[in-house]
Amino acid sequence: MSELYQLSIHQAHKLLKQKDISSVELTKSVLEHIAAVESNVQAYITITEGIALREAKEADSYIASGDITPLTGIPALIKDVICTQGIRTTCGSKMLENFVPPYDATVIKKLKAQRMIMLGKANMDEFAMGSSTENSAFFPTHNPWSLSRVPGGSSGGSAAAVAADEAIYALGSDTGGSIRQPAGFCNVVGFKPTYGRVSRFGLVAFASSLDQIGPITKDVTDCALVMNTIAAHDRRDSTSVPYPVPDYTQQLIHGLKGLRIGIPREYLVEGMQSEVRTTLEIAIKKLEELGAEIDWGASLPSTEYALAVYYILAPSEASANLARYDGVKYGFSEQNASAAIEAAEKTRQFGFGPEVKRRIMLGTYALSAGYYDAYYLKAQKVRTLIKRDFDQAFEKYDALVTPTSPTVAFKLGEKIEDPMQMYLSDVCTLPINIAGLPAISIPAGFADNLPVGMQIIGKPFNEETILHVAFAYEQATDWHKRRPPI
Ligand code: GLN
Protein backbone atom coordinates (compact mmCIF):
# COMPACT_ATOMS: atom_id res chain seq x y z
CA MET A 1 0.00 0.00 0.00
CA SER A 2 1.10 3.54 -0.58
CA GLU A 3 1.99 5.74 2.39
CA LEU A 4 -0.78 7.64 4.15
CA TYR A 5 0.68 11.03 3.24
CA GLN A 6 0.20 10.18 -0.44
CA LEU A 7 -3.57 9.90 -0.15
CA SER A 8 -6.03 12.27 -1.74
CA ILE A 9 -8.88 13.75 0.30
CA HIS A 10 -11.44 11.27 -0.98
CA GLN A 11 -9.15 8.29 -0.47
CA ALA A 12 -8.28 9.37 3.07
CA HIS A 13 -11.94 10.06 3.84
CA LYS A 14 -12.92 6.55 2.85
CA LEU A 15 -10.30 5.04 5.16
CA LEU A 16 -11.21 7.37 8.02
CA LYS A 17 -14.86 6.58 7.65
CA GLN A 18 -14.25 2.83 7.67
CA LYS A 19 -11.99 3.41 10.70
CA ASP A 20 -9.10 1.74 8.85
CA ILE A 21 -6.95 4.71 9.80
CA SER A 22 -7.23 7.55 12.32
CA SER A 23 -6.74 11.23 11.70
CA VAL A 24 -3.82 11.15 14.14
CA GLU A 25 -2.12 8.46 12.05
CA LEU A 26 -2.75 10.37 8.85
CA THR A 27 -1.56 13.66 10.34
CA LYS A 28 1.58 12.08 11.80
CA SER A 29 2.37 10.51 8.45
CA VAL A 30 2.14 13.91 6.71
CA LEU A 31 4.17 15.64 9.44
CA GLU A 32 6.91 13.01 9.24
CA HIS A 33 7.02 13.37 5.48
CA ILE A 34 7.27 17.15 5.85
CA ALA A 35 10.23 16.63 8.19
CA ALA A 36 11.85 14.40 5.56
CA VAL A 37 11.50 16.58 2.45
CA GLU A 38 10.90 20.15 3.61
CA SER A 39 14.58 21.10 3.66
CA ASN A 40 14.57 20.52 -0.11
CA VAL A 41 11.19 22.02 -1.02
CA GLN A 42 10.80 24.83 1.55
CA ALA A 43 7.08 25.20 1.06
CA TYR A 44 6.18 26.17 4.62
CA ILE A 45 6.67 29.48 6.39
CA THR A 46 5.07 28.11 9.57
CA ILE A 47 4.44 24.48 10.55
CA THR A 48 1.78 24.14 13.25
CA GLU A 49 2.59 20.62 14.36
CA GLY A 50 1.16 20.95 17.86
CA ILE A 51 -2.11 22.39 16.63
CA ALA A 52 -2.36 19.73 13.92
CA LEU A 53 -1.94 16.85 16.37
CA ARG A 54 -4.42 18.33 18.82
CA GLU A 55 -6.98 18.91 16.07
CA ALA A 56 -6.43 15.38 14.75
CA LYS A 57 -7.16 13.91 18.18
CA GLU A 58 -10.34 15.97 18.40
CA ALA A 59 -11.36 14.94 14.88
CA ASP A 60 -10.89 11.29 15.81
CA SER A 61 -13.29 11.62 18.72
CA TYR A 62 -15.92 13.14 16.42
CA ILE A 63 -15.34 10.41 13.85
CA ALA A 64 -15.71 7.78 16.60
CA SER A 65 -19.19 9.12 17.30
CA GLY A 66 -20.07 8.93 13.60
CA ASP A 67 -19.72 12.66 12.99
CA ILE A 68 -17.73 12.83 9.76
CA THR A 69 -17.85 14.93 6.58
CA PRO A 70 -15.56 14.58 3.51
CA LEU A 71 -12.99 17.01 4.98
CA THR A 72 -13.07 15.81 8.60
CA GLY A 73 -9.65 14.94 9.96
CA ILE A 74 -7.81 15.75 6.71
CA PRO A 75 -4.59 17.81 7.03
CA ALA A 76 -4.38 21.01 4.95
CA LEU A 77 -1.95 23.82 4.30
CA ILE A 78 -3.11 27.45 4.03
CA LYS A 79 -1.42 30.14 1.95
CA ASP A 80 0.04 32.72 4.30
CA VAL A 81 -2.16 35.51 2.92
CA ILE A 82 -5.29 34.05 4.58
CA CYS A 83 -5.87 35.10 8.19
CA THR A 84 -5.72 32.36 10.80
CA GLN A 85 -6.63 33.24 14.36
CA GLY A 86 -3.67 32.86 16.70
CA ILE A 87 -1.37 31.70 13.89
CA ARG A 88 1.15 34.09 12.36
CA THR A 89 0.06 35.33 8.93
CA THR A 90 3.01 36.95 7.17
CA CYS A 91 1.94 37.41 3.52
CA GLY A 92 5.54 36.49 2.74
CA SER A 93 6.52 39.98 3.92
CA LYS A 94 8.78 41.43 6.53
CA MET A 95 5.97 43.93 7.09
CA LEU A 96 3.78 41.22 8.65
CA GLU A 97 6.54 38.90 9.88
CA ASN A 98 5.12 38.91 13.41
CA PHE A 99 1.46 39.58 12.67
CA VAL A 100 -0.90 37.21 14.48
CA PRO A 101 -4.50 37.79 13.35
CA PRO A 102 -7.15 37.94 16.07
CA TYR A 103 -9.71 36.32 13.75
CA ASP A 104 -10.15 33.62 11.12
CA ALA A 105 -10.93 34.26 7.46
CA THR A 106 -14.38 32.98 6.51
CA VAL A 107 -12.88 30.10 4.49
CA ILE A 108 -10.91 29.02 7.56
CA LYS A 109 -14.05 29.12 9.72
CA LYS A 110 -15.81 26.95 7.18
CA LEU A 111 -12.98 24.43 7.00
CA LYS A 112 -12.69 24.34 10.78
CA ALA A 113 -16.41 23.61 11.02
CA GLN A 114 -15.61 20.45 8.99
CA ARG A 115 -12.69 19.74 11.37
CA MET A 116 -9.85 20.41 8.98
CA ILE A 117 -6.40 19.71 10.42
CA MET A 118 -4.20 22.81 10.15
CA LEU A 119 -0.67 21.88 9.06
CA GLY A 120 0.62 25.43 8.76
CA LYS A 121 1.07 28.38 6.46
CA ALA A 122 2.49 28.26 2.95
CA ASN A 123 5.29 30.30 1.44
CA MET A 124 4.33 32.84 -1.21
CA ASP A 125 5.50 35.87 -3.14
CA GLU A 126 5.30 38.95 -0.94
CA PHE A 127 1.67 40.10 -0.79
CA ALA A 128 0.96 37.63 -3.63
CA MET A 129 2.92 39.72 -6.13
CA GLY A 130 4.90 37.40 -8.34
CA SER A 131 4.95 34.22 -10.39
CA SER A 132 7.77 32.23 -8.85
CA THR A 133 7.65 32.54 -5.02
CA GLU A 134 11.10 34.12 -5.25
CA ASN A 135 9.60 37.39 -4.02
CA SER A 136 9.02 35.86 -0.58
CA ALA A 137 10.85 37.96 2.01
CA PHE A 138 12.00 34.74 3.69
CA PHE A 139 13.22 32.16 1.15
CA PRO A 140 12.26 30.78 -2.25
CA THR A 141 10.33 27.51 -2.59
CA HIS A 142 11.69 24.81 -4.91
CA ASN A 143 9.73 22.86 -7.49
CA PRO A 144 9.58 19.23 -6.32
CA TRP A 145 9.88 18.09 -9.96
CA SER A 146 13.25 19.79 -10.31
CA LEU A 147 14.69 21.51 -7.27
CA SER A 148 16.62 24.05 -9.34
CA ARG A 149 13.33 25.35 -10.75
CA VAL A 150 10.60 27.59 -9.38
CA PRO A 151 7.24 26.12 -8.30
CA GLY A 152 5.45 29.10 -9.86
CA GLY A 153 3.70 31.71 -7.82
CA SER A 154 2.46 33.41 -5.94
CA SER A 155 0.89 30.32 -4.29
CA GLY A 156 4.11 28.38 -4.93
CA GLY A 157 4.34 27.04 -1.38
CA SER A 158 0.81 25.63 -1.55
CA ALA A 159 1.33 23.97 -4.95
CA ALA A 160 4.80 22.58 -4.20
CA ALA A 161 3.60 21.13 -0.90
CA VAL A 162 0.63 19.33 -2.45
CA ALA A 163 2.83 18.02 -5.28
CA ALA A 164 5.45 16.78 -2.80
CA ASP A 165 2.75 15.19 -0.59
CA GLU A 166 3.55 17.62 2.22
CA ALA A 167 -0.18 18.35 2.52
CA ILE A 168 -3.28 16.46 1.41
CA TYR A 169 -4.59 19.73 -0.03
CA ALA A 170 -4.02 23.45 0.24
CA LEU A 171 -5.68 26.81 -0.22
CA GLY A 172 -4.20 29.47 -2.47
CA SER A 173 -5.26 32.86 -3.75
CA ASP A 174 -5.42 33.98 -7.36
CA THR A 175 -5.32 37.59 -8.55
CA GLY A 176 -3.86 36.99 -12.00
CA GLY A 177 -2.99 33.31 -12.02
CA SER A 178 -1.44 32.59 -8.64
CA ILE A 179 -3.37 29.36 -8.07
CA ARG A 180 -3.43 28.02 -11.63
CA GLN A 181 0.13 28.83 -12.74
CA PRO A 182 1.88 27.11 -9.80
CA ALA A 183 -0.59 24.20 -10.03
CA GLY A 184 0.42 23.82 -13.69
CA PHE A 185 4.13 23.98 -12.86
CA CYS A 186 3.77 21.35 -10.11
CA ASN A 187 1.34 18.86 -11.74
CA VAL A 188 -1.55 19.43 -9.34
CA VAL A 189 -5.09 20.78 -9.72
CA GLY A 190 -5.61 24.50 -9.06
CA PHE A 191 -8.99 26.19 -9.17
CA LYS A 192 -9.90 29.87 -9.30
CA PRO A 193 -13.63 30.28 -8.62
CA THR A 194 -15.82 32.97 -10.18
CA TYR A 195 -15.24 36.35 -8.56
CA GLY A 196 -17.76 36.53 -5.70
CA ARG A 197 -18.19 32.78 -5.27
CA VAL A 198 -15.83 32.41 -2.31
CA SER A 199 -15.64 34.94 0.51
CA ARG A 200 -12.58 37.19 0.60
CA PHE A 201 -13.18 38.11 4.22
CA GLY A 202 -9.87 37.55 5.97
CA LEU A 203 -7.88 37.35 2.73
CA VAL A 204 -5.24 40.06 2.97
CA ALA A 205 -6.06 42.34 0.04
CA PHE A 206 -3.77 42.67 -2.97
CA ALA A 207 -6.10 43.81 -5.81
CA SER A 208 -9.60 43.53 -4.42
CA SER A 209 -11.48 43.42 -7.74
CA LEU A 210 -9.36 40.47 -8.91
CA ASP A 211 -8.52 38.39 -5.79
CA GLN A 212 -10.19 35.03 -5.17
CA ILE A 213 -9.37 32.15 -2.81
CA GLY A 214 -9.41 28.62 -4.22
CA PRO A 215 -8.25 25.03 -3.68
CA ILE A 216 -5.03 23.34 -4.77
CA THR A 217 -5.54 19.57 -4.73
CA LYS A 218 -4.22 16.24 -5.99
CA ASP A 219 -7.21 15.61 -8.23
CA VAL A 220 -10.48 17.08 -9.50
CA THR A 221 -12.69 15.19 -7.05
CA ASP A 222 -10.79 16.75 -4.15
CA CYS A 223 -11.17 20.15 -5.76
CA ALA A 224 -14.96 19.70 -5.87
CA LEU A 225 -14.99 18.59 -2.23
CA VAL A 226 -13.12 21.67 -1.03
CA MET A 227 -15.31 23.93 -3.17
CA ASN A 228 -18.39 22.38 -1.56
CA THR A 229 -17.16 23.73 1.75
CA ILE A 230 -15.67 27.12 0.88
CA ALA A 231 -18.15 28.38 -1.75
CA ALA A 232 -20.90 30.37 -0.09
CA HIS A 233 -22.38 33.80 0.29
CA ASP A 234 -20.85 35.78 3.14
CA ARG A 235 -22.39 38.90 4.62
CA ARG A 236 -18.90 40.01 5.62
CA ASP A 237 -17.75 40.32 2.01
CA SER A 238 -19.90 42.76 0.07
CA THR A 239 -18.66 41.33 -3.24
CA SER A 240 -19.69 37.80 -2.32
CA VAL A 241 -22.74 36.76 -4.29
CA PRO A 242 -25.92 35.22 -2.80
CA TYR A 243 -26.41 32.61 -5.50
CA PRO A 244 -27.24 29.04 -4.59
CA VAL A 245 -24.18 26.79 -4.46
CA PRO A 246 -24.57 23.42 -6.20
CA ASP A 247 -23.04 20.17 -4.98
CA TYR A 248 -19.93 20.26 -7.12
CA THR A 249 -19.39 16.50 -6.91
CA GLN A 250 -22.64 15.96 -8.86
CA GLN A 251 -21.01 17.09 -12.08
CA LEU A 252 -18.03 14.78 -11.88
CA ILE A 253 -19.17 12.65 -14.80
CA HIS A 254 -17.39 10.78 -17.55
CA GLY A 255 -17.58 11.68 -21.23
CA LEU A 256 -17.99 15.06 -22.88
CA LYS A 257 -20.67 14.32 -25.44
CA GLY A 258 -22.35 17.43 -26.81
CA LEU A 259 -20.06 19.87 -25.02
CA ARG A 260 -18.77 22.71 -27.18
CA ILE A 261 -15.21 23.74 -26.40
CA GLY A 262 -13.47 26.70 -27.99
CA ILE A 263 -9.69 27.07 -28.31
CA PRO A 264 -8.98 30.81 -28.41
CA ARG A 265 -6.21 31.26 -30.94
CA GLU A 266 -4.79 34.33 -29.19
CA TYR A 267 -3.65 32.04 -26.37
CA LEU A 268 -1.35 29.96 -28.49
CA VAL A 269 0.94 32.92 -28.07
CA GLU A 270 4.20 33.78 -29.68
CA GLY A 271 7.05 32.88 -27.42
CA MET A 272 5.19 29.80 -26.31
CA GLN A 273 7.43 26.80 -25.80
CA SER A 274 6.83 24.43 -28.72
CA GLU A 275 6.73 21.32 -26.47
CA VAL A 276 4.03 22.98 -24.36
CA ARG A 277 2.00 23.62 -27.46
CA THR A 278 2.37 20.03 -28.69
CA THR A 279 1.42 18.67 -25.26
CA LEU A 280 -1.66 20.87 -25.17
CA GLU A 281 -2.70 19.85 -28.67
CA ILE A 282 -2.55 16.19 -27.68
CA ALA A 283 -4.63 16.96 -24.57
CA ILE A 284 -7.24 18.75 -26.67
CA LYS A 285 -7.44 15.75 -29.02
CA LYS A 286 -8.25 13.70 -25.94
CA LEU A 287 -11.15 16.03 -25.15
CA GLU A 288 -12.38 15.45 -28.68
CA GLU A 289 -12.11 11.65 -28.28
CA LEU A 290 -14.23 12.02 -25.17
CA GLY A 291 -17.02 13.50 -27.25
CA ALA A 292 -16.44 17.26 -27.06
CA GLU A 293 -16.90 19.38 -30.18
CA ILE A 294 -13.67 21.33 -30.53
CA ASP A 295 -13.50 24.64 -32.36
CA TRP A 296 -9.88 25.63 -33.02
CA GLY A 297 -11.00 28.95 -34.44
CA ALA A 298 -12.34 30.62 -31.27
CA SER A 299 -11.18 34.19 -30.80
CA LEU A 300 -10.89 36.69 -27.95
CA PRO A 301 -9.55 39.70 -29.86
CA SER A 302 -8.80 41.97 -26.89
CA THR A 303 -6.45 39.41 -25.31
CA GLU A 304 -3.37 41.35 -26.39
CA TYR A 305 -4.31 44.19 -24.01
CA ALA A 306 -4.87 42.01 -20.96
CA LEU A 307 -1.31 42.17 -19.63
CA ALA A 308 -1.21 45.96 -19.85
CA VAL A 309 -4.66 46.30 -18.29
CA TYR A 310 -3.72 43.98 -15.44
CA TYR A 311 -0.47 45.79 -14.70
CA ILE A 312 -2.32 49.08 -14.39
CA LEU A 313 -5.35 47.87 -12.44
CA ALA A 314 -3.66 45.43 -10.05
CA PRO A 315 -0.91 47.86 -8.96
CA SER A 316 -3.47 50.68 -8.66
CA GLU A 317 -5.60 48.67 -6.28
CA ALA A 318 -2.51 47.41 -4.49
CA SER A 319 -1.18 50.92 -3.95
CA ALA A 320 -4.43 51.81 -2.17
CA ASN A 321 -4.70 48.53 -0.23
CA LEU A 322 -1.11 48.65 0.98
CA ALA A 323 -1.40 52.22 2.28
CA ARG A 324 -2.52 50.67 5.58
CA TYR A 325 1.00 49.45 6.40
CA ASP A 326 2.24 52.60 8.03
CA GLY A 327 3.85 51.19 11.18
CA VAL A 328 1.05 52.51 13.37
CA LYS A 329 -1.87 50.13 13.14
CA TYR A 330 -0.10 46.76 13.04
CA GLY A 331 2.87 44.97 11.56
CA PHE A 332 6.47 46.07 11.27
CA SER A 333 7.24 49.52 12.65
CA GLU A 334 10.44 51.51 12.30
CA GLN A 335 10.45 53.96 15.20
CA ASN A 336 13.97 55.26 14.79
CA ALA A 337 12.73 58.54 13.32
CA SER A 338 12.28 62.11 14.45
CA ALA A 339 8.73 62.60 13.18
CA ALA A 340 5.65 60.51 12.40
CA ILE A 341 5.96 60.96 8.66
CA GLU A 342 9.57 59.83 8.70
CA ALA A 343 8.61 56.78 10.79
CA ALA A 344 6.00 55.82 8.21
CA GLU A 345 8.46 56.32 5.38
CA LYS A 346 11.12 54.19 7.02
CA THR A 347 8.58 51.52 7.96
CA ARG A 348 7.64 51.19 4.31
CA GLN A 349 11.21 51.47 3.11
CA PHE A 350 12.43 48.59 5.29
CA GLY A 351 9.19 46.60 5.51
CA PHE A 352 8.43 46.11 1.80
CA GLY A 353 10.54 44.26 -0.75
CA PRO A 354 11.44 45.56 -4.22
CA GLU A 355 8.53 44.08 -6.18
CA VAL A 356 5.95 45.46 -3.74
CA LYS A 357 7.56 48.89 -3.95
CA ARG A 358 7.55 48.69 -7.75
CA ARG A 359 3.81 47.95 -7.73
CA ILE A 360 3.04 50.75 -5.27
CA MET A 361 4.92 53.23 -7.45
CA LEU A 362 3.25 52.00 -10.64
CA GLY A 363 -0.19 52.16 -9.04
CA THR A 364 0.29 55.54 -7.41
CA TYR A 365 1.44 56.92 -10.74
CA ALA A 366 -1.51 55.45 -12.66
CA LEU A 367 -3.95 56.91 -10.13
CA SER A 368 -2.37 60.35 -9.83
CA ALA A 369 -4.43 63.35 -10.95
CA GLY A 370 -2.61 64.00 -14.21
CA TYR A 371 -2.53 60.38 -15.38
CA TYR A 372 -5.76 58.87 -14.06
CA ASP A 373 -7.69 59.32 -17.33
CA ALA A 374 -4.84 58.14 -19.52
CA TYR A 375 -4.08 54.98 -17.54
CA TYR A 376 -6.50 53.87 -14.86
CA LEU A 377 -9.69 54.97 -16.58
CA LYS A 378 -8.53 53.69 -19.96
CA ALA A 379 -7.61 50.34 -18.41
CA GLN A 380 -11.08 50.05 -16.86
CA LYS A 381 -12.64 50.63 -20.27
CA VAL A 382 -10.48 47.99 -21.90
CA ARG A 383 -11.37 45.68 -19.01
CA THR A 384 -14.97 45.91 -20.20
CA LEU A 385 -13.91 44.97 -23.74
CA ILE A 386 -12.03 41.95 -22.48
CA LYS A 387 -15.08 40.86 -20.49
CA ARG A 388 -17.27 41.36 -23.56
CA ASP A 389 -15.05 39.07 -25.64
CA PHE A 390 -15.67 36.30 -23.15
CA ASP A 391 -19.44 36.98 -23.04
CA GLN A 392 -19.56 36.64 -26.81
CA ALA A 393 -17.44 33.50 -26.84
CA PHE A 394 -19.68 31.88 -24.25
CA GLU A 395 -22.68 32.32 -26.53
CA LYS A 396 -21.00 29.70 -28.71
CA TYR A 397 -19.04 27.55 -26.28
CA ASP A 398 -19.62 25.83 -22.96
CA ALA A 399 -15.95 26.15 -22.04
CA LEU A 400 -12.67 27.50 -23.38
CA VAL A 401 -9.37 25.64 -23.20
CA THR A 402 -5.89 27.19 -23.21
CA PRO A 403 -2.44 26.42 -21.86
CA THR A 404 -2.09 27.51 -18.23
CA SER A 405 1.34 28.99 -18.97
CA PRO A 406 3.37 29.48 -22.13
CA THR A 407 6.33 27.57 -20.67
CA VAL A 408 7.15 24.87 -18.15
CA ALA A 409 8.65 25.82 -14.76
CA PHE A 410 11.68 28.06 -15.26
CA LYS A 411 14.93 28.07 -13.32
CA LEU A 412 15.28 29.84 -10.00
CA GLY A 413 16.92 33.20 -10.66
CA GLU A 414 16.13 33.10 -14.39
CA LYS A 415 13.56 35.89 -14.43
CA ILE A 416 13.94 37.62 -11.11
CA GLU A 417 16.04 40.46 -12.55
CA ASP A 418 13.60 41.06 -15.39
CA PRO A 419 10.10 41.96 -14.13
CA MET A 420 8.65 42.09 -17.64
CA GLN A 421 9.65 38.47 -18.34
CA MET A 422 8.17 37.47 -14.99
CA TYR A 423 4.90 39.29 -15.78
CA LEU A 424 4.64 37.44 -19.10
CA SER A 425 4.39 34.08 -17.37
CA ASP A 426 0.77 34.95 -16.52
CA VAL A 427 -0.45 36.04 -19.97
CA CYS A 428 -2.79 33.06 -20.20
CA THR A 429 -4.27 33.38 -16.72
CA LEU A 430 -4.72 37.10 -16.05
CA PRO A 431 -7.51 37.76 -18.57
CA ILE A 432 -9.69 35.37 -16.56
CA ASN A 433 -9.36 37.49 -13.40
CA ILE A 434 -9.96 40.65 -15.42
CA ALA A 435 -13.26 39.11 -16.57
CA GLY A 436 -14.06 37.59 -13.15
CA LEU A 437 -14.50 34.08 -14.57
CA PRO A 438 -13.88 30.63 -13.06
CA ALA A 439 -10.97 28.57 -14.40
CA ILE A 440 -9.07 25.45 -13.46
CA SER A 441 -5.59 24.17 -14.25
CA ILE A 442 -5.18 20.41 -14.45
CA PRO A 443 -2.22 18.14 -15.22
CA ALA A 444 -2.13 17.65 -19.00
CA GLY A 445 1.19 16.01 -19.74
CA PHE A 446 4.92 16.64 -19.61
CA ALA A 447 7.40 18.57 -21.70
CA ASP A 448 11.11 18.05 -21.00
CA ASN A 449 10.04 15.91 -18.01
CA LEU A 450 8.30 18.92 -16.46
CA PRO A 451 4.55 19.27 -15.93
CA VAL A 452 2.29 21.12 -18.36
CA GLY A 453 -1.04 22.52 -17.18
CA MET A 454 -4.24 22.82 -19.21
CA GLN A 455 -6.53 25.70 -18.31
CA ILE A 456 -10.30 25.27 -18.66
CA ILE A 457 -12.34 28.48 -18.45
CA GLY A 458 -16.08 28.61 -17.75
CA LYS A 459 -19.04 30.96 -17.69
CA PRO A 460 -19.56 33.04 -14.56
CA PHE A 461 -20.90 30.92 -11.67
CA ASN A 462 -20.78 27.84 -13.86
CA GLU A 463 -17.96 26.10 -12.02
CA GLU A 464 -19.72 22.75 -12.62
CA THR A 465 -19.01 22.66 -16.34
CA ILE A 466 -15.28 23.16 -15.95
CA LEU A 467 -15.15 20.57 -13.19
CA HIS A 468 -16.98 18.21 -15.54
CA VAL A 469 -14.47 18.77 -18.38
CA ALA A 470 -11.56 18.50 -15.95
CA PHE A 471 -12.87 15.30 -14.38
CA ALA A 472 -13.62 13.59 -17.70
CA TYR A 473 -10.10 14.40 -18.93
CA GLU A 474 -8.50 13.31 -15.68
CA GLN A 475 -10.32 9.97 -15.66
CA ALA A 476 -9.13 9.29 -19.21
CA THR A 477 -5.47 10.08 -18.47
CA ASP A 478 -2.84 9.26 -15.86
CA TRP A 479 -0.91 12.52 -15.62
CA HIS A 480 -2.30 13.46 -12.23
CA LYS A 481 -1.05 10.18 -10.77
CA ARG A 482 2.59 10.99 -11.52
CA ARG A 483 4.62 11.94 -8.50
CA PRO A 484 7.82 14.01 -8.40
CA PRO A 485 11.01 12.10 -7.67
CA ILE A 486 11.47 13.71 -4.26
N1 GLN B 1 1.82 36.95 -11.13
C1 GLN B 1 0.77 37.91 -11.06
C2 GLN B 1 1.25 39.12 -10.29
O1 GLN B 1 2.38 39.15 -9.97
C3 GLN B 1 -0.44 37.30 -10.40
C4 GLN B 1 -0.31 37.19 -8.94
C5 GLN B 1 -1.50 36.61 -8.26
O2 GLN B 1 -2.36 36.00 -8.90
N2 GLN B 1 -1.59 36.84 -6.96
O3 GLN B 1 0.53 40.02 -10.00
Side-chain angles (χ1 to χ4, degrees), residues 121-133:
K121 305 300 292 285
N123 197 18
M124 55 181 282
D125 286 301
E126 185 173 5
F127 286 102
M129 297 173 190
S131 312
S132 69
T133 314

Side-chain angles (χ1 to χ4, degrees), residues 369-382:
Y371 297 102
Y372 180 91
D373 288 356
Y375 294 109
Y376 183 78
L377 196 64
K378 181 68 85 28
Q380 288 289 25
K381 288 178 179 168
V382 182

